Amino acid sequence: MLALFRIVVGLLFACHGAATLFNVLGGPKGGGVPSVGEWPSWWAAAIQLVGGALVAVGLGTRWAALIASGSMAYAYFVVHAPKDLWPMLNGGEASAMFCWAFLLIAFTGPGAWAVDQLFTRSRSTASTPETVPA
């Protein structure tokens, strides 16, 4: 179940970044495509696209999820909270939900079906000493 949660959250986040960067999937909300390097919109969308994809496939999951969570906390407190504290009143529901979802993934790890699991399995098998029959 954790793997499905990670995959869905990662894909949704990556789609949001792709929409903002490339004007696909309904395009960016609230305006046009940001110029390359434009602060903070282009950087936020790049984090969404790359971080979401990494989380979805389960590669560098904990770090990618932590960075994604931090970017959504920044979005909430800098963009939404000045309008009003409550997410329903300031339009920050998605930022708040993504922030907490990615924080959960950062702490629980990727679960099954993750590229990270391939590395941990090979590392654990390589460090296990072989037993010699007596």
Side-chain angles (χ1 to χ4, degrees), residues 11-89:
L11 282 174
L12 290 172
F13 203 56
C15 287
H16 192 75
T20 303
L21 288 175
F22 306 118
N23 198 19
V24 295
L25 305 170
K29 291 187 177 197
V33 175
S35 303
V36 174
E38 182 182 335
W39 179 259
S41 52
W42 186 88
W43 292 99
I47 289 170
Q48 291 164 4
L49 179 62
V50 175
L54 287 172
V55 168
V57 298
L59 179 61
T61 309
R62 290 180 188 261
W63 284 106
L66 188 63
I67 291 168
S69 177
S71 75
M72 288 294 96
Y74 176 88
Y76 185 81
F77 288 109
V78 172
V79 176
H80 300 287
K83 298 173 190 169
D84 195 282
L85 178 63
W86 300 106
M88 294 302 291
L89 299 175

Side-chain angles (χ1 to χ4, degrees), residues 2 6 61-62 104-111:
L2 177 60
R6 171 187 50 82
T61 309
R62 290 180 188 261
L104 176 67
I105 293 168
F107 277 93
T108 59

